[in-house]
Amino acid sequence: MLALMLLACLFAALVSFVAGRSLRRASGWLAALVPLLLFGLLWQQIPPVLMGATPVETYRWVEDLGGGLAFDLVLQLDALALSLALLVTGMGGLLAACAGFYLARNRSPGLFLLALLGSIGALLGLVLAGNLPTLLLFWHLALPSAYLLVGHRSEERHAQQSAMQVLIVGVGSGLALLAGLLLLGQAAQSVGVGPPAAYSFAGLQAAGASVANAPLAGPAVILVCLGCAGWLALVPLHGWRAGALAHAPAPAGAALVACISPGGLAVLARLHPILSGSPIWGYLLLLLGSAGLLGGAVLALRQRTIPMLLACSASSYAGLAVLLAGVGGDYAPLALLMTLLTLALSHGALLLLLGTVAQQTGTDDLQQLGQLFAALPITTWLATLAALSLAGLPLFLGFVARGLLFEAIFASPLPEPVRAALIPICLIGGALQMVVAWRLVYRTFFGTRPARTLRPLREAPAALLIVPGLLVSWALALGLPELGMPNALRVLCREAALVIAGNPAGLAGAVGPEVALLQGLGWPLIGSLVIMLPGLVLIYFEERMVGLLASMPGGQAAGGGAAPLVDGLQRGAASLTGLLERGHLRSYIAGAVMVWLGLVGPLFVAFAFGANGADLPPLALLLEDIRVHEALVILVVVGGAILTPGARSRREALIGVVGVGVGLALFFALLSAPDLALVQALVSAITVVLLLLAFAWLPRRCDWAAPRGGMLRDALVAGGAGLLVAGLTVAAAGDQSFASLAALPPEPGLVANPAAAPGSTRVAAILADHRALDLLGVLATLLAVLPATRGLLQRGLEHLERGPASGRGSLLLHMALPVLAPLLLVLSASFLPGGQAGPGMGLGGGLLAAATILLYVLVAGPAAVQRMLPVGYLTMTALGLLFAAVWGSLGLLASQPALAAVLPNQTVPGLGAIGTPLLFNLGAYVVVVGVATNVALLLAAAPATARPVPEPPESSAPSTPLPPPASDAHQPGPAANGARAAALTAGQAPPQDEQ
Amino acid sequence: MILLVALATGLLFGGAIYLLLRRSAVRLLVGLVLLGNGAGLLLFTMGRLRRARPLDEPGAPLVGADPLAQALAISGVFLGLALLVLVLALICHAAAAAESDDMDQADQAPVSDAGG
């Protein structure tokens, strides 16, 4: 049921987002339905929860992270969760109902309602969370919706900044909390709590005080407290909420104060029974709370605008709640809950009411408002009642909270001097809060000067009065426990307080403190009346005090504290982006290589030269067993690798590439890898042909001679990368932890003739069977490249279909080809069945066939080859892949894994071994042929514009891979460049003209 | 022996990265080819070097190069080919539009002209 509630919130959020477009303001009422419905459902849960039932729902989330660490999604509904959930859903529903009226008329409220319901859902999840991962999940889910809420007026720069502040503070607090809770889990494991229990509240609590006294618990406590202080906007970190309240619509501000603050306090309340044993937990909370209480109240008096004042006042109340969490004892949890309720109800009502005032008068500046009482009597009454509750006057919730506060301090287990110090702090804080409440209402609605308004004032629509009215009446009802507060709620609050105190079996066992107003004229009552005295005195001096505070340095900057930080962060991010995003491929590559070097390089150096240096194979092993012919082959590769980067012409570069390709193929062949050698040789040949064809597209104007800029830097980066790769190769050579597959006996069924199967044929078996999914992926990649190439080389495609069917090849090749080509094709086909019994396979065969066709392209011209085949090459390739996939999926029909060899190769006389592997290979063959041929054809049909104008260079037909057009050979000097450019411009004939 | 192979692998990678960092489109293409070759050699070397039989000799002992490393290298070579083809097409398209081998100018070339 709990999970369904969360899903209902999500669903309602999405529905109201859609409905907001058509229903406009009325969509708020629709959106309010679900939270209010949830409120009702939760209300019905009060009796069973009070009877001791605690529904817990557990969902598997992360199955197993290794070491038995699995995370579940745990939701639980105990008294604490229930009371906070009632607050969140009730407030959320009311805010949603009136939200539509506060938003600009010309904009759909859908996005706002989406954010509002989203944050309600996230906070509901937060208060229901039963373990640390769930808590963190919902904490972070609340962030984006808070961001959207605050940034609703997205066209205003201040709203954008405030939203950014919310995000930055929220992410920062979230990270602190994440680190803190992870440390807490570690601390629990260090004292012997198992992984699942170490991350659940119940498990941690069961472990007792040993967790709180573990060495890691100290940092955990600090991080958790910092995270909560940021989220609750306690005074040093209050800037984000001041900015948010000043620039967001009133319901958003009310949601921030009344729904999101309970989230932060819920975390503290959940962790309190676990961490209260820690020596620093209480004192840290007292410190943060006192600073928040006094700082918030003082800052509130310095503010000129209503939202800023309310923001600082809310910070002050949140500080009081945090302080109470640190006080401990029997009464403190109850006082905490009452303070939280006062904070939420009164601030929520005031924000909504004064939001309508600001809308009507067009200003929220306290100095320009005044004497609105006559025009807005109902608003005035409601605001006054809410402010009286804030001030802690009798009959109101605030009064109960104050009384419990002092009772809690007296009943606290803290040492005597601390308690003595707390009393003046709370007295001064309470007095200042009274002044704040008085100032707010008096300056707005009474005051000495009348407000200058643009138009006659009228009471706000009824809906806007009903919602704050409900909140105020709750503040009244809860303040009169004996008269107004339903008995169930009273017991619920007591039970919730017992949960915070870590004694959930309250009903059965010890009797906790009651929420009481008039439990006799005890001295707590007198105390709470006494604390009103300094407040009254201060109210008398309000004007002077405010003047004094305003004249102090620091100016008006309540929200200003975080603004420079946010600006700085944004500027830093922008300059970092500018630094990284140069828009040049080479800067991205350089960045990636340098990151790789920076990450892997130090590790490798530590490995090679550190204490474990012995892990590197000895030099003798590296140098042993060098044979002259292999060394020569390697030196060909080395020569090619040196020649290519230093090449001064395309010809030299191509020679280097050929050297590398042929050298590698020979090397593979010598080291008994015939399959790889075959593929390497054929791919090298095809690559060179494609490069040659592509060079015809590329203009001759190039910077071969003088590449501009940063050669040394690039050489350093590249050299470092090369060195690291070489080092890794050497390091891997010493590793003996994996046995080679080569020595294993062949499996029957996969290989046609196991007795005759040499080790190398396993490659075919691996490719076509064990790793057939890889092969299918390779084929799909090849196929995917084809349409992209066709799209990019569109111009070539048109040229191809209309071009002349004449080749430029040598006469000798032209004559030899009709004899040569069928032989080569037959040879390539013979690789297919051989794929299981000898070197070669579908891929290799396809490559050979493609190389043959490429020879045709060079000799007979692309157009002739294009017309040779009735079906398009793209179709052919796709059919090939389909063919391979169909044979591969046969395994599924035979209830075997996909791509299994369902029909092992059977030897058919005259044809070789035939079975599903062979058919699969046939598909691969077709794909390779289709892709290679098609790309070559497209590249071969280079547009006339890209070709050099004089024909002679082309006449040295590239019939063999090596010689590029002759004009490339000499160096393009500046003068030659100019002349060539002129020739290019002159020869820019479109293809049509050429025909 | 492995030292020589490591030298070749390092040179292939270093040279390839140096070429990829140049402004010239042709050098980019060539660098990509070298990188593919280097990756193939690296993958093959990871299966350790073994020289049992150079090529198919009947009756020779069964031990050859590690087939898994070979299969991986073959997949890698083919993927390298596919990548090269795509980059070839992209660069031909861009360079034909910019009428320059300089990648920086290809960056700024009007794209709409290129379709012909």
PDB file of all heavy atoms in Angstrom, chain A residues 584 586 622 625 630 669 672 680 701 704 714 738 988, chain B residues 1-2 22 27 30 37 48 51 53-54 93 99 104 107:
ATOM      1  N   HIS A 584      37.210  20.980 -31.730  1.00  0.00           N
ATOM      2  CA  HIS A 584      38.109  20.316 -32.668  1.00  0.00           C
ATOM      3  C   HIS A 584      38.287  18.876 -32.232  1.00  0.00           C
ATOM      4  O   HIS A 584      38.502  18.604 -31.050  1.00  0.00           O
ATOM      5  CB  HIS A 584      39.475  20.997 -32.686  1.00  0.00           C
ATOM      6  CG  HIS A 584      39.414  22.419 -33.117  1.00  0.00           C
ATOM      7  ND1 HIS A 584      38.773  22.798 -34.269  1.00  0.00           N
ATOM      8  CD2 HIS A 584      39.909  23.542 -32.567  1.00  0.00           C
ATOM      9  CE1 HIS A 584      38.879  24.105 -34.394  1.00  0.00           C
ATOM     10  NE2 HIS A 584      39.553  24.589 -33.367  1.00  0.00           N
ATOM     11  N   ARG A 586      40.757  17.050 -32.595  1.00  0.00           N
ATOM     12  CA  ARG A 586      42.069  16.737 -32.012  1.00  0.00           C
ATOM     13  C   ARG A 586      42.142  17.140 -30.554  1.00  0.00           C
ATOM     14  O   ARG A 586      42.826  16.490 -29.772  1.00  0.00           O
ATOM     15  CB  ARG A 586      43.175  17.397 -32.822  1.00  0.00           C
ATOM     16  CG  ARG A 586      43.055  18.879 -32.938  1.00  0.00           C
ATOM     17  CD  ARG A 586      44.296  19.446 -33.614  1.00  0.00           C
ATOM     18  NE  ARG A 586      44.282  20.888 -33.529  1.00  0.00           N
ATOM     19  CZ  ARG A 586      43.633  21.674 -34.335  1.00  0.00           C
ATOM     20  NH1 ARG A 586      42.924  21.150 -35.323  1.00  0.00           N
ATOM     21  NH2 ARG A 586      43.646  22.971 -34.185  1.00  0.00           N
ATOM     22  N   LEU A 622      62.230 -11.139 -21.727  1.00  0.00           N
ATOM     23  CA  LEU A 622      61.796 -10.259 -22.814  1.00  0.00           C
ATOM     24  C   LEU A 622      62.659 -10.456 -24.048  1.00  0.00           C
ATOM     25  O   LEU A 622      62.201 -10.319 -25.174  1.00  0.00           O
ATOM     26  CB  LEU A 622      61.871  -8.803 -22.357  1.00  0.00           C
ATOM     27  CG  LEU A 622      61.034  -8.447 -21.148  1.00  0.00           C
ATOM     28  CD1 LEU A 622      61.199  -6.993 -20.803  1.00  0.00           C
ATOM     29  CD2 LEU A 622      59.583  -8.759 -21.426  1.00  0.00           C
ATOM     30  N   ASP A 625      64.761 -15.869 -27.099  1.00  0.00           N
ATOM     31  CA  ASP A 625      64.030 -16.522 -28.166  1.00  0.00           C
ATOM     32  C   ASP A 625      63.713 -15.587 -29.325  1.00  0.00           C
ATOM     33  O   ASP A 625      62.645 -15.625 -29.900  1.00  0.00           O
ATOM     34  CB  ASP A 625      62.715 -17.079 -27.595  1.00  0.00           C
ATOM     35  CG  ASP A 625      62.228 -18.240 -28.432  1.00  0.00           C
ATOM     36  OD1 ASP A 625      63.034 -18.726 -29.225  1.00  0.00           O
ATOM     37  OD2 ASP A 625      61.056 -18.598 -28.280  1.00  0.00           O
ATOM     38  N   GLU A 630      61.588 -13.532 -37.679  1.00  0.00           N
ATOM     39  CA  GLU A 630      60.499 -12.826 -36.985  1.00  0.00           C
ATOM     40  C   GLU A 630      60.914 -11.396 -36.663  1.00  0.00           C
ATOM     41  O   GLU A 630      60.130 -10.453 -36.807  1.00  0.00           O
ATOM     42  CB  GLU A 630      60.152 -13.562 -35.699  1.00  0.00           C
ATOM     43  CG  GLU A 630      59.444 -14.875 -35.976  1.00  0.00           C
ATOM     44  CD  GLU A 630      59.355 -15.753 -34.741  1.00  0.00           C
ATOM     45  OE1 GLU A 630      59.873 -15.326 -33.691  1.00  0.00           O
ATOM     46  OE2 GLU A 630      58.769 -16.832 -34.830  1.00  0.00           O
ATOM     47  N   ALA A 669      51.128 -14.921 -39.123  1.00  0.00           N
ATOM     48  CA  ALA A 669      51.287 -16.226 -39.769  1.00  0.00           C
ATOM     49  C   ALA A 669      52.446 -16.984 -39.131  1.00  0.00           C
ATOM     50  O   ALA A 669      52.350 -18.174 -38.863  1.00  0.00           O
ATOM     51  CB  ALA A 669      51.522 -16.041 -41.259  1.00  0.00           C
ATOM     52  N   SER A 672      51.796 -18.814 -35.736  1.00  0.00           N
ATOM     53  CA  SER A 672      50.753 -19.838 -35.804  1.00  0.00           C
ATOM     54  C   SER A 672      49.364 -19.290 -35.535  1.00  0.00           C
ATOM     55  O   SER A 672      48.611 -19.817 -34.735  1.00  0.00           O
ATOM     56  CB  SER A 672      51.058 -20.994 -34.850  1.00  0.00           C
ATOM     57  OG  SER A 672      51.105 -20.535 -33.527  1.00  0.00           O
ATOM     58  N   GLN A 680      43.988 -10.222 -41.507  1.00  0.00           N
ATOM     59  CA  GLN A 680      44.814  -9.029 -41.468  1.00  0.00           C
ATOM     60  C   GLN A 680      45.285  -8.644 -42.877  1.00  0.00           C
ATOM     61  O   GLN A 680      45.208  -7.482 -43.280  1.00  0.00           O
ATOM     62  CB  GLN A 680      46.006  -9.284 -40.551  1.00  0.00           C
ATOM     63  CG  GLN A 680      47.055  -8.205 -40.546  1.00  0.00           C
ATOM     64  CD  GLN A 680      46.572  -6.951 -39.848  1.00  0.00           C
ATOM     65  OE1 GLN A 680      45.837  -7.030 -38.882  1.00  0.00           O
ATOM     66  NE2 GLN A 680      46.964  -5.808 -40.367  1.00  0.00           N
ATOM     67  N   ARG A 701      45.144  20.676 -51.538  1.00  0.00           N
ATOM     68  CA  ARG A 701      45.641  21.718 -50.645  1.00  0.00           C
ATOM     69  C   ARG A 701      45.746  21.129 -49.253  1.00  0.00           C
ATOM     70  O   ARG A 701      44.741  20.829 -48.624  1.00  0.00           O
ATOM     71  CB  ARG A 701      44.647  22.877 -50.622  1.00  0.00           C
ATOM     72  CG  ARG A 701      45.236  24.160 -51.084  1.00  0.00           C
ATOM     73  CD  ARG A 701      44.255  25.282 -51.003  1.00  0.00           C
ATOM     74  NE  ARG A 701      42.873  24.895 -50.989  1.00  0.00           N
ATOM     75  CZ  ARG A 701      41.918  25.678 -50.506  1.00  0.00           C
ATOM     76  NH1 ARG A 701      42.224  26.835 -50.003  1.00  0.00           N
ATOM     77  NH2 ARG A 701      40.670  25.300 -50.540  1.00  0.00           N
ATOM     78  N   TRP A 704      50.725  19.013 -45.408  1.00  0.00           N
ATOM     79  CA  TRP A 704      51.697  17.949 -45.155  1.00  0.00           C
ATOM     80  C   TRP A 704      53.028  18.538 -44.722  1.00  0.00           C
ATOM     81  O   TRP A 704      53.687  18.035 -43.830  1.00  0.00           O
ATOM     82  CB  TRP A 704      51.932  17.122 -46.416  1.00  0.00           C
ATOM     83  CG  TRP A 704      50.876  16.134 -46.699  1.00  0.00           C
ATOM     84  CD1 TRP A 704      50.079  16.089 -47.774  1.00  0.00           C
ATOM     85  CD2 TRP A 704      50.525  15.031 -45.890  1.00  0.00           C
ATOM     86  NE1 TRP A 704      49.239  15.040 -47.696  1.00  0.00           N
ATOM     87  CE2 TRP A 704      49.495  14.360 -46.546  1.00  0.00           C
ATOM     88  CE3 TRP A 704      50.961  14.544 -44.679  1.00  0.00           C
ATOM     89  CZ2 TRP A 704      48.908  13.228 -46.022  1.00  0.00           C
ATOM     90  CZ3 TRP A 704      50.377  13.418 -44.167  1.00  0.00           C
ATOM     91  CH2 TRP A 704      49.365  12.774 -44.831  1.00  0.00           C
ATOM     92  N   ASP A 714      52.117  17.565 -29.061  1.00  0.00           N
ATOM     93  CA  ASP A 714      51.449  16.367 -29.556  1.00  0.00           C
ATOM     94  C   ASP A 714      52.374  15.173 -29.496  1.00  0.00           C
ATOM     95  O   ASP A 714      51.966  14.062 -29.148  1.00  0.00           O
ATOM     96  CB  ASP A 714      50.975  16.592 -30.989  1.00  0.00           C
ATOM     97  CG  ASP A 714      49.880  17.626 -31.047  1.00  0.00           C
ATOM     98  OD1 ASP A 714      49.361  17.970 -29.967  1.00  0.00           O
ATOM     99  OD2 ASP A 714      49.560  18.092 -32.144  1.00  0.00           O
ATOM    100  N   PHE A 738      46.153 -16.907 -16.811  1.00  0.00           N
ATOM    101  CA  PHE A 738      45.113 -17.493 -17.666  1.00  0.00           C
ATOM    102  C   PHE A 738      45.725 -18.578 -18.533  1.00  0.00           C
ATOM    103  O   PHE A 738      46.735 -18.347 -19.189  1.00  0.00           O
ATOM    104  CB  PHE A 738      44.478 -16.435 -18.558  1.00  0.00           C
ATOM    105  CG  PHE A 738      43.823 -15.348 -17.786  1.00  0.00           C
ATOM    106  CD1 PHE A 738      44.440 -14.122 -17.640  1.00  0.00           C
ATOM    107  CD2 PHE A 738      42.609 -15.555 -17.169  1.00  0.00           C
ATOM    108  CE1 PHE A 738      43.846 -13.121 -16.914  1.00  0.00           C
ATOM    109  CE2 PHE A 738      42.005 -14.560 -16.434  1.00  0.00           C
ATOM    110  CZ  PHE A 738      42.627 -13.346 -16.313  1.00  0.00           C
ATOM    111  N   GLN A 988      36.055  23.962 -61.225  1.00  0.00           N
ATOM    112  CA  GLN A 988      34.905  23.536 -60.435  1.00  0.00           C
ATOM    113  C   GLN A 988      33.692  23.281 -61.296  1.00  0.00           C
ATOM    114  O   GLN A 988      32.700  23.998 -61.231  1.00  0.00           O
ATOM    115  CB  GLN A 988      34.573  24.577 -59.384  1.00  0.00           C
ATOM    116  CG  GLN A 988      35.361  24.378 -58.111  1.00  0.00           C
ATOM    117  CD  GLN A 988      35.032  25.402 -57.100  1.00  0.00           C
ATOM    118  OE1 GLN A 988      34.404  26.402 -57.431  1.00  0.00           O
ATOM    119  NE2 GLN A 988      35.452  25.189 -55.878  1.00  0.00           N
TER     120      GLN A 988
ATOM    121  N   MET B   1      61.890 -11.468 -27.283  1.00  0.00           N
ATOM    122  CA  MET B   1      60.944 -11.344 -28.399  1.00  0.00           C
ATOM    123  C   MET B   1      59.830 -10.358 -28.049  1.00  0.00           C
ATOM    124  O   MET B   1      59.484  -9.497 -28.836  1.00  0.00           O
ATOM    125  CB  MET B   1      60.326 -12.734 -28.659  1.00  0.00           C
ATOM    126  CG  MET B   1      59.492 -12.779 -29.905  1.00  0.00           C
ATOM    127  SD  MET B   1      60.505 -12.498 -31.341  1.00  0.00           S
ATOM    128  CE  MET B   1      59.317 -11.763 -32.420  1.00  0.00           C
ATOM    129  N   ILE B   2      59.332 -10.542 -26.799  1.00  0.00           N
ATOM    130  CA  ILE B   2      58.208  -9.700 -26.423  1.00  0.00           C
ATOM    131  C   ILE B   2      58.613  -8.229 -26.420  1.00  0.00           C
ATOM    132  O   ILE B   2      57.797  -7.335 -26.658  1.00  0.00           O
ATOM    133  CB  ILE B   2      57.671 -10.130 -25.040  1.00  0.00           C
ATOM    134  CG1 ILE B   2      56.318  -9.488 -24.748  1.00  0.00           C
ATOM    135  CG2 ILE B   2      58.624  -9.746 -23.931  1.00  0.00           C
ATOM    136  CD1 ILE B   2      55.228 -10.043 -25.552  1.00  0.00           C
ATOM    137  N   ARG B  22      46.790  15.710 -35.586  1.00  0.00           N
ATOM    138  CA  ARG B  22      47.111  16.695 -36.631  1.00  0.00           C
ATOM    139  C   ARG B  22      45.837  17.323 -37.194  1.00  0.00           C
ATOM    140  O   ARG B  22      44.747  16.812 -36.990  1.00  0.00           O
ATOM    141  CB  ARG B  22      47.916  16.040 -37.738  1.00  0.00           C
ATOM    142  CG  ARG B  22      49.165  15.353 -37.259  1.00  0.00           C
ATOM    143  CD  ARG B  22      50.407  16.190 -37.400  1.00  0.00           C
ATOM    144  NE  ARG B  22      50.398  17.430 -36.635  1.00  0.00           N
ATOM    145  CZ  ARG B  22      50.613  17.514 -35.318  1.00  0.00           C
ATOM    146  NH1 ARG B  22      50.771  16.428 -34.618  1.00  0.00           N
ATOM    147  NH2 ARG B  22      50.624  18.664 -34.705  1.00  0.00           N
ATOM    148  N   ARG B  27      45.915  12.760 -42.627  1.00  0.00           N
ATOM    149  CA  ARG B  27      46.666  12.190 -41.505  1.00  0.00           C
ATOM    150  C   ARG B  27      45.728  11.540 -40.495  1.00  0.00           C
ATOM    151  O   ARG B  27      46.067  10.523 -39.898  1.00  0.00           O
ATOM    152  CB  ARG B  27      47.469  13.286 -40.818  1.00  0.00           C
ATOM    153  CG  ARG B  27      48.665  13.663 -41.640  1.00  0.00           C
ATOM    154  CD  ARG B  27      49.490  14.722 -40.977  1.00  0.00           C
ATOM    155  NE  ARG B  27      50.553  15.086 -41.894  1.00  0.00           N
ATOM    156  CZ  ARG B  27      51.827  15.126 -41.548  1.00  0.00           C
ATOM    157  NH1 ARG B  27      52.174  14.855 -40.330  1.00  0.00           N
ATOM    158  NH2 ARG B  27      52.738  15.461 -42.434  1.00  0.00           N
ATOM    159  N   VAL B  30      44.930   8.086 -41.886  1.00  0.00           N
ATOM    160  CA  VAL B  30      46.066   7.170 -41.769  1.00  0.00           C
ATOM    161  C   VAL B  30      46.282   6.784 -40.308  1.00  0.00           C
ATOM    162  O   VAL B  30      46.572   5.619 -39.989  1.00  0.00           O
ATOM    163  CB  VAL B  30      47.309   7.841 -42.379  1.00  0.00           C
ATOM    164  CG1 VAL B  30      48.516   6.979 -42.147  1.00  0.00           C
ATOM    165  CG2 VAL B  30      47.105   8.056 -43.855  1.00  0.00           C
ATOM    166  N   ASN B  37      45.502  -1.289 -36.467  1.00  0.00           N
ATOM    167  CA  ASN B  37      46.556  -2.302 -36.529  1.00  0.00           C
ATOM    168  C   ASN B  37      47.187  -2.514 -35.159  1.00  0.00           C
ATOM    169  O   ASN B  37      47.447  -3.650 -34.751  1.00  0.00           O
ATOM    170  CB  ASN B  37      47.632  -1.864 -37.525  1.00  0.00           C
ATOM    171  CG  ASN B  37      47.207  -2.142 -38.958  1.00  0.00           C
ATOM    172  OD1 ASN B  37      46.517  -3.121 -39.219  1.00  0.00           O
ATOM    173  ND2 ASN B  37      47.576  -1.274 -39.870  1.00  0.00           N
ATOM    174  N   ARG B  48      49.519 -14.211 -25.519  1.00  0.00           N
ATOM    175  CA  ARG B  48      50.904 -14.692 -25.421  1.00  0.00           C
ATOM    176  C   ARG B  48      51.417 -15.258 -26.749  1.00  0.00           C
ATOM    177  O   ARG B  48      50.648 -15.790 -27.555  1.00  0.00           O
ATOM    178  CB  ARG B  48      51.058 -15.720 -24.294  1.00  0.00           C
ATOM    179  CG  ARG B  48      51.530 -15.046 -23.028  1.00  0.00           C
ATOM    180  CD  ARG B  48      51.385 -15.982 -21.874  1.00  0.00           C
ATOM    181  NE  ARG B  48      50.008 -16.012 -21.397  1.00  0.00           N
ATOM    182  CZ  ARG B  48      49.465 -17.071 -20.828  1.00  0.00           C
ATOM    183  NH1 ARG B  48      50.147 -18.172 -20.703  1.00  0.00           N
ATOM    184  NH2 ARG B  48      48.228 -16.995 -20.397  1.00  0.00           N
ATOM    185  N   ARG B  51      54.973 -20.140 -30.876  1.00  0.00           N
ATOM    186  CA  ARG B  51      55.177 -20.516 -32.276  1.00  0.00           C
ATOM    187  C   ARG B  51      55.269 -22.035 -32.367  1.00  0.00           C
ATOM    188  O   ARG B  51      56.302 -22.635 -32.091  1.00  0.00           O
ATOM    189  CB  ARG B  51      56.366 -19.826 -32.883  1.00  0.00           C
ATOM    190  CG  ARG B  51      57.714 -20.080 -32.302  1.00  0.00           C
ATOM    191  CD  ARG B  51      58.777 -19.454 -33.148  1.00  0.00           C
ATOM    192  NE  ARG B  51      59.115 -18.112 -32.754  1.00  0.00           N
ATOM    193  CZ  ARG B  51      59.785 -17.807 -31.655  1.00  0.00           C
ATOM    194  NH1 ARG B  51      60.119 -18.748 -30.812  1.00  0.00           N
ATOM    195  NH2 ARG B  51      60.103 -16.562 -31.389  1.00  0.00           N
ATOM    196  N   ARG B  53      53.405 -24.034 -35.123  1.00  0.00           N
ATOM    197  CA  ARG B  53      53.519 -24.373 -36.538  1.00  0.00           C
ATOM    198  C   ARG B  53      53.230 -23.106 -37.311  1.00  0.00           C
ATOM    199  O   ARG B  53      52.210 -22.466 -37.068  1.00  0.00           O
ATOM    200  CB  ARG B  53      52.484 -25.412 -36.913  1.00  0.00           C
ATOM    201  CG  ARG B  53      52.624 -26.681 -36.120  1.00  0.00           C
ATOM    202  CD  ARG B  53      51.404 -27.510 -36.326  1.00  0.00           C
ATOM    203  NE  ARG B  53      50.191 -26.739 -36.014  1.00  0.00           N
ATOM    204  CZ  ARG B  53      49.098 -26.745 -36.742  1.00  0.00           C
ATOM    205  NH1 ARG B  53      49.047 -27.478 -37.825  1.00  0.00           N
ATOM    206  NH2 ARG B  53      48.064 -26.031 -36.395  1.00  0.00           N
ATOM    207  N   PRO B  54      54.061 -22.714 -38.173  1.00  0.00           N
ATOM    208  CA  PRO B  54      53.813 -21.481 -38.910  1.00  0.00           C
ATOM    209  C   PRO B  54      52.493 -21.534 -39.661  1.00  0.00           C
ATOM    210  O   PRO B  54      51.709 -20.638 -39.601  1.00  0.00           O
ATOM    211  CB  PRO B  54      54.990 -21.393 -39.869  1.00  0.00           C
ATOM    212  CG  PRO B  54      56.048 -22.226 -39.255  1.00  0.00           C
ATOM    213  CD  PRO B  54      55.344 -23.309 -38.508  1.00  0.00           C
ATOM    214  N   HIS B  93      33.112  13.731 -47.218  1.00  0.00           N
ATOM    215  CA  HIS B  93      31.992  14.667 -47.297  1.00  0.00           C
ATOM    216  C   HIS B  93      32.411  16.045 -46.825  1.00  0.00           C
ATOM    217  O   HIS B  93      32.200  17.048 -47.515  1.00  0.00           O
ATOM    218  CB  HIS B  93      30.871  14.119 -46.408  1.00  0.00           C
ATOM    219  CG  HIS B  93      29.657  14.962 -46.361  1.00  0.00           C
ATOM    220  ND1 HIS B  93      28.707  14.937 -47.343  1.00  0.00           N
ATOM    221  CD2 HIS B  93      29.243  15.863 -45.459  1.00  0.00           C
ATOM    222  CE1 HIS B  93      27.765  15.779 -47.044  1.00  0.00           C
ATOM    223  NE2 HIS B  93      28.062  16.365 -45.895  1.00  0.00           N
ATOM    224  N   GLU B  99      36.541  22.076 -49.309  1.00  0.00           N
ATOM    225  CA  GLU B  99      37.592  22.156 -50.307  1.00  0.00           C
ATOM    226  C   GLU B  99      38.938  22.371 -49.649  1.00  0.00           C
ATOM    227  O   GLU B  99      39.761  23.167 -50.114  1.00  0.00           O
ATOM    228  CB  GLU B  99      37.293  23.260 -51.316  1.00  0.00           C
ATOM    229  CG  GLU B  99      36.127  22.862 -52.215  1.00  0.00           C
ATOM    230  CD  GLU B  99      35.701  23.989 -53.117  1.00  0.00           C
ATOM    231  OE1 GLU B  99      36.441  24.964 -53.172  1.00  0.00           O
ATOM    232  OE2 GLU B  99      34.650  23.861 -53.738  1.00  0.00           O
ATOM    233  N   ASP B 104      40.175  22.129 -39.505  1.00  0.00           N
ATOM    234  CA  ASP B 104      39.620  23.325 -38.884  1.00  0.00           C
ATOM    235  C   ASP B 104      38.719  24.063 -39.858  1.00  0.00           C
ATOM    236  O   ASP B 104      37.715  24.649 -39.470  1.00  0.00           O
ATOM    237  CB  ASP B 104      40.744  24.258 -38.425  1.00  0.00           C
ATOM    238  CG  ASP B 104      41.406  23.701 -37.189  1.00  0.00           C
ATOM    239  OD1 ASP B 104      41.069  22.565 -36.835  1.00  0.00           O
ATOM    240  OD2 ASP B 104      42.238  24.394 -36.606  1.00  0.00           O
ATOM    241  N   ASP B 107      35.457  22.287 -40.221  1.00  0.00           N
ATOM    242  CA  ASP B 107      34.548  22.595 -39.119  1.00  0.00           C
ATOM    243  C   ASP B 107      33.588  23.703 -39.479  1.00  0.00           C
ATOM    244  O   ASP B 107      32.422  23.703 -39.110  1.00  0.00           O
ATOM    245  CB  ASP B 107      35.345  23.066 -37.893  1.00  0.00           C
ATOM    246  CG  ASP B 107      35.959  21.902 -37.172  1.00  0.00           C
ATOM    247  OD1 ASP B 107      35.594  20.777 -37.503  1.00  0.00           O
ATOM    248  OD2 ASP B 107      36.795  22.144 -36.293  1.00  0.00           O
TER     249      ASP B 107
END
